[in-house]
């Protein structure tokens, strides 16, 4: 049977039924392999807690299972899911996201993790999938960590790619209504990223370490298009920009604010800012 299924898993960030933000990590990876004629399945534990039927149904066609995890509560769900996968699938389980990026050697000590992706995951993930499809050697992919004779081997990380060079995110792959929340000033708010990274080097934060003190913003036209689609689909009246640091570039900030007004989106918005 052809192994043409890729499962991507996003663990619940909090205990209970509280919903977090859109699982952007899964959407960022899906866009990188959607042209490879694969069956890509996204599982968000916030919404789909019973994932065992999915694993059982596709265990014979699985090519790869990917997990995205941040340090903290997500590690519980990520570990439990990976253990379950290993009960039905002998192929690679790869972890990416903030935790494996910061502690790749520690993650590779686990028997239920075969590979890790360090840093920006889009390119390494696509290369890994292509190598697996061709049954090729993936051990030299930049940013990939693997095990060799029981020891962790972490390949050097490639230079970051401008996020505008990647394919567009397909928000129709998920039900956006699952991620709407009530804020202090809006009935239907949703989280969104307009940029990633930060040029500062604050001692308490790992963003500078991961992004190399660089900042990348999405094209303003793309942001407006996304917000227009999200509003139409999820009927939002507000958006929270979850950026690492929104107010980096004055020109970008003004351009985006003017575009939001000019587009007649009629939404409020909020974000966090550096104290300086």
């Amino acid at each position: 049977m052809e192994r043409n299924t890729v499962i991507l898993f996003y663990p619940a960030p909090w205990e209970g039924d509280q919903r977090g933000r859109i699982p952007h990590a899964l959407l960022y990876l899906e866009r990188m392999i959607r042209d490879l004629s694969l069956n890509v399945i996204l599982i968000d534990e916030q919404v789909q807690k019973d994932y065992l039927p999915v694993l059982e149904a596709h265990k014979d066609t699985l090519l790869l299972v990917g997990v995205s995890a941040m340090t903290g509560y997500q590690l519980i769900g990520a570990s439990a899911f990976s253990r379950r996968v290993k009960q039905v699938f002998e192929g690679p389980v790869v972890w990416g996201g903030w935790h494996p990026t910061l502690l790749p050697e520690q993650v590779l000590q686990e028997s239920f993790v075969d590979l890790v992706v360090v840093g920006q995951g889009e390119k390494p993930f696509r290369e890994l999938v292509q190598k697996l499809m061709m049954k090729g050697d993936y051990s030299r992919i930049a940013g990939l960590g693997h095990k060799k004779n029981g020891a962790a081997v972490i390949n050097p990380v490639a230079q970051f790619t401008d996020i505008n060079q990647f394919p567009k995110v397909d928000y129709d792959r998920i039900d956006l209504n699952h991620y709407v929340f009530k804020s202090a000033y809006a009935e239907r708010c949703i989280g969104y990223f307009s940029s990633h990274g930060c040029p500062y080097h604050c001692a308490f934060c790992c963003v500078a370490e991961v992004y190399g003190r660089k900042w990348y913003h999405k094209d303003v036209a793309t942001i407006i298009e996304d917000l227009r689609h999200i509003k139409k689909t999820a009927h939002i009246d507000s958006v929270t920009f979850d950026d690492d640091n929104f107010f980096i570039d004055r020109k970008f900030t003004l351009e985006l604010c003017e575009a939001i007004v000019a587009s007649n989106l009629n939404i409020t918005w909020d974000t966090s800012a550096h104290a300086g």
Side-chain angles (χ1 to χ4, degrees), residues 48-221:
Q48 189 175 355
K49 296 190 181 299
D50 185 13
Y51 47 71
L52 295 182
V54 179
L55 295 178
E56 285 292 336
H58 298 280
K59 63 183 180 181
D60 295 327
T61 62
L62 274 177
L63 176 73
L64 169 75
V65 174
V67 177
S68 178
M70 290 184 67
T71 305
Y73 188 80
Q74 277 197 319
L75 297 181
I76 299 174
S79 300
F81 174 79
S82 300
R83 287 190 179 96
R84 281 294 199 175
V85 170
K86 281 302 182 184
Q87 293 176 359
V88 300
F89 176 52
E90 296 180 356
V93 173
V94 55
W95 277 34
W98 286 99
H99 187 73
T101 290
L102 296 170
L103 297 169
E105 292 88 358
Q106 182 189 85
V107 173
L108 284 173
Q109 291 177 9
E110 303 293 350
S111 60
F112 48 80
V113 180
D114 302 293
L115 305 166
V116 296
V117 172
V118 176
Q120 190 179 39
E122 284 91 336
K123 279 190 171 181
F125 179 73
R126 178 179 172 85
E127 289 182 47
L128 174 60
V129 170
Q130 289 177 310
K131 291 290 186 183
L132 289 172
M133 292 174 69
M134 298 183 294
K135 296 181 172 57
D137 178 20
Y138 52 73
S139 63
R140 298 181 181 179
I141 294 175
L144 189 74
H146 64 283
K147 301 174 184 179
K148 185 175 182 180
N149 299 324
V153 178
I154 312 299
N155 297 337
V157 178
Q159 190 173 23
F160 265 69
T161 300
D162 186 336
I163 56 178
N164 293 294
Q165 294 182 22
F166 295 137
K168 196 174 182 307
V169 171
D170 182 6
Y171 286 102
D172 288 332
R173 289 300 308 257
I174 59 174
D175 183 350
L176 289 166
N177 289 281
H178 286 308
Y179 306 99
V180 174
F181 58 92
K182 184 176 180 178
S183 73
Y185 51 85
E187 289 296 318
R188 294 184 65 81
C189 187
I190 205 163
Y192 178 84
F193 286 100
S194 67
S195 69
H196 291 287
C198 178
Y200 298 127
H201 201 276
C202 303
F204 63 84
C205 183
C206 62
V207 172
E209 180 71 21
V210 173
Y211 282 92
R213 299 184 68 179
K214 292 201 166 98
W215 177 74
Y216 307 85
H217 70 81
K218 295 178 183 177
D219 181 75
V220 170

